Amino acid sequence: MSNSKKKIWIDLDNSPHVVFFKPIIDELEKRGYSVVLTARDCFQTCGLADMYKFQYKRIGKHYGKHLFLKVTGLLLRALQLTPTAMKEKPALALSHGSRSQVLAAYLLKIPSIVIADYEHATMTTRPNWVIVPEVIPDDAIKINKNHILKYPGIKEDVYVPDFAPDPTLINKLCINSKNIIVTIRPPATEAHYHNPQSEELFHAVMDFLGQREDVIMVLLPRNERQASQIKKMWLSMCEEGKIIIPEKVVDGLNLIWNSDLVISGGGTMNREAAALGVPVYSIFRGKIGAVDRYLSENGRLTLIKNIEDIRTKITLVKREQQLAPKQKNNSALKSIVDGVISVIEDDR
């Protein structure tokens, strides 16, 4: 079978997967493979996919944070994905942790690969292969060790080399560039790994920053419910323009690049800032993964563990921007694509 006839099914399960898979899709197509895309309608995933002009099929949504609803939603979406997979007949299912795709692929006997960068995430059904950063030890992955592939650096190194800054973004958001601009990603309160302490730190961060007249906060809520809660809790700061919640989907990398610092309760935005060289503080209080420990030990990420750390560790100063990020290495992208092709061509 020639490469051009081999189809790879990629499922975009969450918003960070859109920008992550863009260069992977481009590289796979360049090497002669065809790609079919599905996307879950949640956390601005489809909005970002539209912004990147992806051709995809919208399937399923988020069903809530309670365990019963999560399990029900996982099973339902796996069934919803099945007709598309049966029609497209892909040679391989690929995702960055889509449980529903892994389950659907298992039922249809389609080989599956999960790319992952957080070893404490739970997978109800095991994929055939896993691709992880080199800093994650093999014994942290519950799968046949011969089916673990590695790539150098971090997931964000896959797409940051292609990043082109847009210096007009701040003007579009009507922000005075003389202010200290802080981009904030609230904790993922509906995720299975959520720790309530992250919410306590988030509230403390908002109150801490709210006391500084020269600080503007740009918040990227995870869904409409969270956005509504934030607007109610900090109504006056929202009305005064001290808190800005973009009305439309924004390019997260550009927002980070135009910020002076980032504070986030989630992994992807933290690591994107680290990859771009922007000061970043993590208020995530779940189990700390190997990637975040690696970034913290190398001074690229500051872990905020308690309220005192907010006052003593967060530095509020203007950042001297360069014309573009220094990161130009594409070894992470090449390793991942080589790994995917080695599986689909069964030469391992």
Side-chain angles (χ1 to χ4, degrees):
M1 182 183 280
S2 65
N3 289 355
S4 61
K5 293 182 180 178
K6 289 191 175 180
K7 186 180 295 183
I8 299 174
W9 167 29
I10 295 177
D11 186 43
L12 306 173
D13 189 62
N14 202 346
S15 53
H17 305 162
V18 177
V19 64
F20 171 71
F21 275 110
K22 175 64 168 65
I24 293 174
I25 292 169
D26 291 344
E27 187 63 25
L28 286 170
E29 291 179 338
K30 190 186 302 180
R31 298 197 195 186
Y33 296 88
S34 63
V35 174
V36 59
L37 288 174
T38 53
R40 185 168 64 136
D41 190 8
C42 69
F43 307 136
Q44 299 183 323
T45 304
C46 292
L48 284 168
D50 292 337
M51 188 173 78
Y52 277 86
K53 299 184 178 358
F54 281 176
Q55 298 298 312
Y56 66 95
K57 187 166 185 180
R58 187 182 307 229
I59 299 177
K61 61 178 184 178
H62 192 277
Y63 289 89
K65 64 180 180 178
H66 298 295
L67 181 60
F68 174 77
L69 294 175
K70 282 183 179 295
V71 174
T72 301
L74 186 157
L75 296 173
L76 178 58
R77 186 164 186 265
L79 294 175
Q80 292 172 330
L81 288 169
T82 302
T84 297
M86 292 175 67
K87 177 184 175 183
E88 298 290 346
K89 295 181 173 56
L92 181 73
L94 176 65
S95 73
H96 200 285
S98 171
R99 298 174 180 84
S100 294
Q101 189 202 45
V102 172
L103 178 55
Y106 172 79
L107 295 173
L108 297 174
K109 295 181 169 44
I110 300 170
S112 62
I113 298 178
V114 163
I115 306 172
D117 64 346
Y118 181 61
E119 65 272 29
H120 301 302
T122 57
M123 289 299 294
T124 28
T125 303
R126 301 293 175 197
N128 299 100
W129 294 81
V130 173
I131 303 178
V132 297
E134 291 174 345
V135 297
I136 296 181
D138 286 356
D139 58 12
I141 310 297
K142 306 297 188 268
I143 196 173
N144 184 330
K145 306 309 175 192
N146 295 324
H147 284 219
I148 299 175
L149 304 177
K150 299 288 186 76
Y151 65 90
I154 60 178
K155 174 185 98 229
E156 292 67 25
D157 292 335
V158 169
Y159 51 93
V160 163
D162 294 330
F163 170 65
D166 176 10
T168 68
L169 178 63
I170 295 303
N171 290 334
K172 291 175 183 176
L173 293 174
C174 300
I175 298 175
N176 186 336
S177 60
K178 292 182 180 180
N179 287 307
I180 296 173
I181 302 168
V182 184
T183 289
I184 304 173
R185 182 72 158 166
T189 56
E190 297 181 354
H192 71 276
Y193 50 74
H194 176 61
N195 182 332
Q197 189 183 359
S198 296
E199 286 182 84
E200 295 175 12
L201 292 177
F202 170 62
H203 288 189
V205 161
M206 296 296 291
D207 292 340
F208 170 71
L209 296 177
Q211 297 172 9
R212 286 283 298 256
E213 293 185 2
D214 57 345
V215 167
I216 296 293
M217 294 171 268
V218 183
L219 265 73
L220 299 179
R222 295 172 183 273
N223 50 46
E224 289 297 327
R225 182 186 308 160
Q226 192 175 63
S228 178
Q229 291 172 345
I230 289 169
K231 289 175 183 176
K232 288 180 181 177
M233 187 163 294
W234 292 283
L235 178 62
S236 61
M237 286 197 287
C238 289
E239 291 177 340
E240 295 165 3
K242 190 168 185 61
I243 293 176
I244 295 174
I245 300 177
E247 295 181 2
K248 298 179 180 179
V249 175
V250 298
D251 183 334
L253 285 179
N254 262 305
L255 181 57
I256 291 170
W257 181 252
N258 283 281
S259 300
D260 295 298
L261 62 145
V262 170
I263 302 173
S264 175
T268 296
M269 183 158 280
N270 285 335
R271 294 189 287 269
E272 285 177 339
L276 288 169
V278 177
V280 55
Y281 303 87
S282 173
I283 55 172
F284 175 73
R285 296 308 299 145
K287 291 183 179 179
I288 304 301
V291 171
D292 281 359
R293 285 199 302 273
Y294 161 77
L295 292 174
S296 175
E297 289 166 2
N298 285 273
R300 299 170 63 190
L301 169 72
T302 301
L303 299 174
I304 301 298
K305 299 178 181 179
N306 51 55
I307 292 176
E308 179 63 22
D309 283 349
I310 295 172
R311 294 189 292 269
T312 59
K313 292 186 177 181
I314 296 179
T315 303
L316 297 173
V317 295
K318 290 295 295 180
R319 181 174 73 90
E320 184 177 346
Q321 290 187 357
Q322 299 170 333
L323 294 177
K326 296 178 181 178
Q327 169 69 277
K328 291 297 178 186
N329 190 336
N330 64 356
S331 58
L333 171 62
K334 184 179 184 302
S335 293
I336 289 173
V337 173
D338 286 348
V340 170
I341 290 175
S342 73
V343 171
I344 200 171
E345 295 299 336
D346 197 25
D347 61 4
R348 285 188 159 262

